[in-house]
Amino acid sequence: MTPQLTVIVPLYNKEKYIAETLQSIFMQKTKFSYKILIADDCSTDNSIQIVHEFQQKYPGIIEILPSQENQKLYKNILKAYAVAKTDYFCVLDPDDYWVDEHLIENALTFLEANQEYTIYFTNTLMLDFNNNMKKYSVSPACDSVFNDYLNNTAILGHTSNSIYRNVIFKHGLPEKMANVFHPSCEESFRGDSFRNALHIKEGKAHGVPDYTSVYRCTEEGLWQGSTTSQQNLMTAVFWINLWFYYDKQYPEFLLNAYNANIRISKEDIIALPNKDSYKLPYLFNTLKENEDLISQELSKKIEKETNKKLNALKYKYKLYYKVYQYLYKKLHRKNII
């Protein structure tokens, strides 16, 4: 039987958690067929041995994509996207796990019956650094569309609880993902934010309030393991990369980058590790070159608000723009941009 769903597990040295992750997949009660694609990034611990044990226990379901050398997450997950040709796919990180045995059944039943939807997601729990379980998302039942995403108001899911209609990778890797146009794209395009952007562009997103997964915080986590200054810069650059990915069609992405950028303080810049400093010229020069478009988008946003909020918004965005101009001049004087 041809699988209907590919569960991608990008793996690197997760011997402590991978068994729990895989078991949470195999506990699923569903009439839909699935395969598990383990994209291993040259693990050096016992992770692959544990995967082999599951292969023997559940023959014909797990496929391993090995690497001859460590490529880091972006290239590792690209190789999985390139061979994921099933009608649906999802990504489950090897330190996260599912807690609802009906997740696949409910997701694919909905997507099969509603062809205009490309994303199905739920809420997720978080296991924090102190091993405390708490709610990570508290979204109600909701639908979002691309226009919501443009305005940064879409409600979308976490990696561990999102299942996608395979409208992108089933037809091959997009050229701009295979050959990135800026080094920061590898960071921007590697996770759920970009997957959500790609798929909500092609259809609707449907969220249900059930809690179906656990997101485990670890020091190696790409987001939780970053400082606030790194997270602010990561977010701003993400929106810039979307602006270029979609050939400058959506100035709303510039406004989102601008709004994220104003959270980057002088202290943030000083605190940035050297490995992240290359993003600053890219971010600030792009914003500077598109000041007119940003200004137009700010004006549109203000005009859409009610009169009650109008004066407060005008003051808010005027202040934001002054902060942006101040930071730009500071960086320019220091020859950072």
Side-chain angles (χ1 to χ4, degrees), residues 145-154 239 250-253 255-256 259 297 300-301 304-305 317:
V145 296
F146 186 58
N147 193 56
D148 300 321
Y149 192 82
L150 288 176
N151 293 303
N152 206 15
T153 59
W239 290 114
Y250 305 107
E252 294 92 339
F253 291 148
L255 180 57
N256 292 339
N259 285 334
E297 289 304 308
K300 288 179 189 176
K301 188 171 182 66
K304 288 179 182 178
E305 298 295 330
Y317 286 120

Side-chain angles (χ1 to χ4, degrees), residues 81-264:
Y81 288 158
V83 299
K85 303 302 182 186
T86 51
D87 291 338
Y88 305 97
F89 82 97
C90 63
V91 177
L92 184 60
D93 288 332
D95 44 14
D96 298 339
Y97 57 97
W98 290 336
V99 292
D100 184 344
E101 61 189 11
H102 301 293
L103 174 59
I104 291 177
E105 180 69 18
N106 291 338
L108 268 60
T109 296
F110 177 86
L111 291 169
E112 286 279 283
N114 299 275
Q115 294 294 313
E116 71 274 25
Y117 287 83
T118 51
I119 306 173
Y120 176 99
F121 69 93
T122 67
N123 282 315
T124 189
L125 300 165
M126 180 175 72
L127 195 60
D128 69 16
F129 291 108
N130 297 315
N131 218 35
N132 297 316
M133 191 75 77
K134 58 184 71 173
K135 292 180 178 179
Y136 180 69
S137 59
V138 288
S139 301
C142 60
D143 284 359
S144 294
V145 296
F146 186 58
N147 193 56
D148 300 321
Y149 192 82
L150 288 176
N151 293 303
N152 206 15
T153 59
I155 298 176
L156 295 164
H158 180 258
T159 295
S160 63
N161 58 32
S162 299
I163 294 182
Y164 302 90
R165 188 183 305 281
N166 195 3
V167 292
I168 305 294
F169 306 121
K170 193 172 185 179
H171 308 292
L173 278 177
E175 173 62 23
K176 288 178 184 174
M177 291 185 71
N179 298 291
V180 295
F181 47 84
H182 189 266
S184 64
C185 292
E186 293 197 5
E187 181 180 87
S188 294
F189 296 168
R190 68 191 177 187
D192 52 7
S193 295
F194 186 64
R195 279 192 294 274
N196 284 334
L198 283 182
H199 290 81
I200 201 169
K201 173 72 167 56
E202 303 301 322
K204 299 179 182 179
H206 178 68
V208 298
D210 304 338
Y211 284 86
T212 65
S213 66
V214 173
Y215 164 41
R216 190 194 306 269
C217 293
T218 67
E219 292 181 357
E220 298 84 25
L222 298 176
W223 183 258
Q224 295 292 342
S226 299
T227 65
T228 300
S229 59
Q230 287 175 300
Q231 290 174 352
N232 287 337
L233 183 58
M234 205 182 300
T235 300
V237 171
F238 169 77
W239 290 114
I240 291 295
N241 283 331
L242 274 188
W243 157 251
F244 286 118
Y245 185 88
Y246 285 112
D247 299 320
K248 305 180 183 180
Q249 293 181 66
Y250 305 107
E252 294 92 339
F253 291 148
L254 282 176
L255 180 57
N256 292 339
Y258 167 72
N259 285 334
N261 171 65
I262 61 175
R263 297 198 298 269
I264 304 173

Side-chain angles (χ1 to χ4, degrees), residues 319-336:
L319 180 63
Y320 281 178
Y321 199 72
K322 284 183 177 179
V323 172
Y324 159 67
Q325 293 282 36
Y326 168 78
L327 277 175
Y328 185 90
K329 288 175 183 175
K330 275 276 190 184
L331 291 169
H332 190 68
R333 287 194 199 107
K334 292 183 178 182
N335 293 321
I336 295 177

Side-chain angles (χ1 to χ4, degrees), residues 53-69:
E53 291 172 9
F54 274 86
Q55 275 186 316
Q56 293 176 357
K57 187 176 180 180
Y58 302 97
I61 298 178
I62 297 176
E63 178 183 352
I64 300 174
L65 296 178
S67 295
Q68 298 304 311
E69 59 183 9

